[in-house]
């Protein structure tokens, strides 16, 4: 129980490896001291609170905000998703500029009877468009999640 608690606290604590090791060392001392005084591991865990609560209080004692890394991660995923969407839409637009009319071969001005299909019969510009739409939707969801999270903390 002790090892699992310490592992979970380290996971919840968003700090440097050195600080995480300090907190783990302090927790080991707390558990050892409690055992010397006849306290069980379960009682110690109940006294300390959940791993998340302990990690938040430990981060506060270090003078750092424990949720800062999660906020950065959310913002980064929003930016990356929006960038992917913009790139996909730009590629789709560029692919549309160079398309020849249906039924034309090469740079022919008139229709021919020969049909040319892409590899596997798939129009890759449509695939790029779908990727752009999915990336934009993911970015919108991530933005909403980040905004909701920042409102809850305020």
């Amino acid at each position: 129980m002790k090892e699992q608690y310490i592992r979970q606290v380290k996971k919840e604590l968003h700090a440097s490896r050195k600080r995480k090791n300090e907190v783990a060392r302090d927790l080991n001392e707390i558990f050892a001291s409690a055992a010397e005084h006849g306290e069980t591991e379960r009682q110690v865990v109940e006294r300390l609170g959940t791993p998340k609560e302990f990690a938040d209080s430990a981060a506060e004692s270090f003078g750092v905000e424990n949720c800062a890394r999660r906020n950065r991660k959310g913002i980064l995923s929003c930016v990356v998703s929006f960038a992917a969407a913009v790139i996909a839409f730009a590629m789709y637009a560029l692919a549309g500029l160079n398309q020849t009319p249906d039924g034309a071969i090469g740079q022919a001005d008139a229709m021919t009877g020969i049909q040319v299909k892409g590899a596997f019969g798939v129009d890759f510009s449509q695939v790029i468009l779908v990727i752009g739409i999915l990336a934009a939707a993911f970015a919108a969801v991530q933005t909403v999640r980040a905004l909701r999270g920042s409102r809850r903390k305020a």
Side-chain angles (χ1 to χ4, degrees):
M1 176 175 253
K2 174 182 93 169
E3 294 303 320
Q4 181 181 1
Y5 185 83
I6 293 172
R7 190 171 38 253
Q8 192 65 30
V9 167
K10 286 175 74 173
K11 181 179 175 186
E12 294 288 341
L13 183 62
H14 301 293
S16 67
R17 185 179 313 235
K18 180 181 175 184
R19 291 245 169 111
K20 286 182 180 187
N21 290 335
E22 287 176 24
V23 169
R25 187 175 51 248
D26 291 345
L27 279 170
N28 278 315
E29 290 174 10
I30 289 169
F31 278 101
S33 174
E36 289 175 3
H37 292 91
E39 200 174 358
T40 66
E41 287 183 358
R42 182 174 300 283
Q43 290 170 326
V44 175
V45 168
E46 288 173 5
R47 181 169 44 93
L48 295 176
T50 66
K52 172 92 172 97
E53 292 169 344
F54 189 85
D56 288 343
S57 68
E60 189 176 310
S61 71
F62 291 133
V64 295
E65 190 175 338
N66 201 30
C67 61
R69 181 175 286 172
R70 276 191 301 252
N71 289 346
R72 279 190 298 245
K73 191 176 181 182
I75 291 169
L76 181 63
S77 66
C78 291
V79 170
V80 169
S81 300
F82 275 122
V86 167
I87 290 169
F89 289 138
M91 289 174 61
Y92 177 74
L94 287 174
L97 290 176
N98 293 330
Q99 282 189 346
T100 56
D102 285 341
I105 296 178
Q107 299 298 321
D109 292 337
M111 302 258 296
T112 64
I114 302 171
Q115 292 185 348
V116 178
K117 294 195 177 204
F120 311 112
V122 176
D123 183 6
F124 287 107
S125 65
Q126 298 298 315
V127 172
I128 292 171
L129 179 62
V130 169
I131 290 171
I133 291 170
L134 291 175
F138 181 75
V141 168
Q142 292 294 81
T143 302
V144 168
R145 288 180 68 197
L147 290 175
R148 281 187 181 168
S150 66
R151 280 193 206 136
R152 281 189 208 132
K153 292 173 192 123

